Amino acid sequence: MTESPLPTVLVVAVALIDVDGRVLIAKRPEGKTLAGLWEFPGGKVEPGERPEAALIRELREELGIEVSESCLAPFVFASHAYDSFHLLMPLYLCRRWDGVVAAREHAALAWVRPNQLSDYPMPPADEPLVAWLRDLL
């Protein structure tokens, strides 16, 4: 087995699913890497932070909602080598939260039917997750 020269970055993401079975995706803002692409909300896990705690924190910061850890269901993960790092991204499912979803850090938000997610350009790590969601939902 050969070691990857790239550092591994752990990022958590969530597929928020509304009562109509639509999934929330968020557009990356200008000035950020991969700006203009659509992604599942979430963010980087800080050193010593549990993935679920990181996701709860990120959803509060990015979307203004409160999520209970018991409402986060681990679903699938992405593993993708970018040029300067290797991304490991668990994707959770969440159907219950408190508050109204609002774009605090993203350029836009969209509630999308699973079979239409592939119509939105996404970062390479997010793309394989679309098929899993389409098959589940």
Side-chain angles (χ1 to χ4, degrees), residues 26-27 61-64 100-109:
K27 192 172 189 179
E61 292 171 3
E62 290 183 3
L63 302 176
V100 177
V101 172
R104 292 184 169 184
E105 297 182 9
H106 293 94
L109 299 175

Side-chain angles (χ1 to χ4, degrees), residues 2 19 46 50 95 102 126 137:
T2 59
V19 294
E46 299 297 335
R50 292 182 313 105
R95 295 177 185 268
D126 291 64
L137 303 174

Side-chain angles (χ1 to χ4, degrees), residues 70-134:
S70 63
C71 295
L72 295 174
F75 178 53
V76 69
F77 71 93
S79 180
H80 182 81
Y82 284 100
D83 290 340
S84 59
F85 65 96
H86 190 94
L87 180 79
L88 184 62
M89 182 172 67
L91 178 70
Y92 291 79
L93 302 179
C94 181
R95 295 177 185 268
R96 295 184 62 190
W97 58 88
D98 291 322
V100 177
V101 172
R104 292 184 169 184
E105 297 182 9
H106 293 94
L109 299 175
W111 289 100
V112 180
R113 298 236 171 261
N115 63 351
Q116 296 174 326
L117 284 169
S118 57
D119 295 343
Y120 293 78
M122 293 187 161
D126 291 64
E127 288 175 353
L129 304 174
V130 168
W132 287 94
L133 286 167
R134 193 173 49 238

